[in-house]
Each structure stands twice: as structure tokens, then as C-alpha cells.
Amino acid sequence: KAGVTQTPRYLIKTRGQQVTLSCSPISGHRSVSWYQQTPGQGLQFLFEYFSETQRNKGNFPGRFSGRQFSNSRSEMNVSTLELGDSALYLCASSPSLAGGPSTYNEQFFGPGTRLTVL
Amino acid sequence: AQKVTQAQTEISVVEKEDVTLDCVYETRDTTYYLFWYKQPPSGELVFLIRRNSFDEQNEISGRYSWNFQKSTSSFNFTITASQVVDSAVYFCALFNAGNMLTFGGGTRLMVKP
């Protein structure tokens, strides 16, 4: 079974531009979560999508958005890039089977997209 | 709100030494899961172990062992006879409601030959 794939792996942008990152989950997984990793703030949860709906959101400004398609592939978009957006963006997929809010769903991480904003 | 603290930002040991990575967590939930992940220089997070809040049994897997103590809200990770290949950043994480992982700040482990 193929793992989680993220494209592109590396990206260089300039301040003010926007960027779109893509994540293809493991086949059959319906949940995709995004995390940002920076040296200063560490690993932080951005948002989670399930069945094309944003189900949970971290504490990030509205410049960060995402979406999920019917095939569970997900994209995240960052508009008006700032220098502080330079980070490794990790995507994780999980089967997210039916269950209550505390139902555990193992997350499988992709290799990440390293974004550099100049 | 939940929080995970890894007080050791960097540890350096010589190969074959034992090393323990500390993790302390805070949560108000009674049901939660704790994890350890390894992040090699390539960047991908590699799952090491999962523990649920109702299972306080310690676990050993080869050179790795984990000590979960609910009374002190700690979930420590020990590598026995460390090897150079163990050099990486290790993250402790907490999962509870919302399908969201809360990560600690990570501990960079350097194992020197």
C-alpha cells in the first residue's frame, strides 16, 4: 500500500505570494490533517478534513486554508506569504472510522513539503 | 487545553550509552493516547509507540522501552545501548478529542561513535 505523498517536496516563494501544497492520503483513508513545523513554534496542528469538510482547526490566521476533494486528496493554501511561514508542512492521513470524538485514529505522516519564503 | 513538555531540548551521548527522553503531559480528558515519534533528518515522522490512558503497562521493544506513569503524567522513553542510527529528533505527542495531535517541543538526540 502506498504511503502518504506530498507535493512538491520543496518550494521557494517570496513574501506576498500565495502557495498551494498537495497531499494524497493512503488509499481508503478519509481524514487528512495538516501540521506546520518551525524551529520556533515546533509542530503545530493546522486543520483536519474529513469527507470534504473541515472538522477541526488549529490556531492559525485565515491566510491558511485548505480543502479536500471527493477522492480524499487535500490541498492547503497560504495566501500573502510572510517570512514566518517558512516551515516544513506535514500531512497525515487516518482511516477515521465511525466513532465518537475520542475515537482513536492512527495518523500516518507524509515526508512533508519544505516551504521557504524569501 | 492540553500540553506536552519535553524539557530536554538536546541530549548528546556516546554510542552504547543508555539514554532516557522525558515527556510530561497535561490534559483534562480521561481518555487519551500518548505517542512517541522519531524524526530523522529526512523530515518524515516515524511512529514508535502508542499508549492509551487506560494501559499503564510498560513496554519494551528491542532496545526501546517506555515508562508510562499516570500519577505523574509522564511517558518517558529509554533507548538502551544507543547507536549512531538513533540520532534524530524525538517527539512525544498527545491525542485526544478532535483527531488532533499535540506535540512536545522535541528532543534532539545525538549519538556519537
Side-chain angles (χ1 to χ4, degrees):
Chain A
K1 213 178 205 181
V4 178
T5 57
Q6 292 186 246
T7 56
R9 292 294 311 279
Y10 302 91
L11 206 49
I12 299 175
K13 292 285 187 179
T14 56
R15 277 184 301 175
Q17 286 187 312
Q18 76 166 21
V19 67
T20 299
L21 312 182
S22 180
C23 172
S24 292
I26 292 171
S27 177
H29 286 192
R30 297 167 64 190
S31 167
V32 173
S33 300
W34 289 89
Y35 295 83
Q36 180 198 61
Q37 184 177 20
T38 61
Q41 300 299 317
L43 268 160
Q44 293 184 290
F45 173 78
L46 278 157
F47 30 64
E48 185 226 1
Y49 284 86
F50 176 76
S51 291
E52 302 179 63
T53 301
Q54 186 180 86
R55 190 162 67 170
N56 200 11
K57 189 177 189 303
N59 189 23
F60 278 81
R63 299 185 298 107
F64 292 82
S65 63
R67 59 178 175 168
Q68 187 179 33
F69 302 94
S70 58
N71 62 358
S72 294
R73 189 177 70 85
S74 176
E75 290 181 346
M76 67 162 281
N77 184 76
V78 188
S79 62
T80 319
L81 283 166
E82 300 176 0
L83 295 178
D85 297 333
S86 294
L88 178 67
Y89 290 88
L90 291 164
C91 163
S93 78
S94 71
S96 196
L97 304 174
S102 294
T103 300
Y104 167 68
N105 295 292
E106 183 165 355
Q107 299 195 6
F108 299 83
F109 284 84
T113 293
R114 188 165 293 282
L115 171 65
T116 302
V117 182
L118 302 175
Chain B
Q2 48 277 342
K3 185 179 178 182
V4 178
T5 302
Q6 294 179 253
Q8 307 145 308
T9 54
E10 201 167 288
I11 300 176
S12 182
V13 298
V14 176
E15 207 170 19
K16 296 184 184 175
E17 282 185 13
D18 297 348
V19 58
T20 296
L21 310 182
D22 298 332
C23 172
V24 174
Y25 62 93
E26 295 175 29
T27 181
R28 292 181 181 176
D29 293 327
T30 54
T31 301
Y32 54 88
Y33 297 84
L34 295 163
F35 299 80
W36 276 95
Y37 285 90
K38 174 181 180 180
Q39 187 177 43
S42 61
E44 189 167 344
L45 283 172
V46 178
F47 167 83
L48 294 177
I49 190 171
R50 175 185 76 244
R51 259 287 173 268
N52 74 52
S53 52
F54 300 108
D55 182 2
E56 287 193 67
Q57 273 193 331
N58 292 329
E59 181 160 335
I60 298 175
S61 175
R63 296 184 298 107
Y64 296 168
S65 62
W66 291 269
N67 184 347
F68 176 29
Q69 292 198 341
K70 216 167 172 178
S71 60
T72 56
S73 297
S74 66
F75 186 43
N76 297 336
F77 171 33
T78 298
I79 302 175
T80 303
S82 59
Q83 299 177 1
V84 173
V85 293
D86 295 328
S87 297
V89 181
Y90 290 85
F91 290 95
C92 180
L94 171 69
F95 176 97
N96 58 353
N99 208 35
M100 177 180 82
L101 281 166
T102 299
F103 286 90
T107 298
R108 182 178 299 278
L109 174 64
M110 292 177 292
V111 182
K112 299 177 183 177

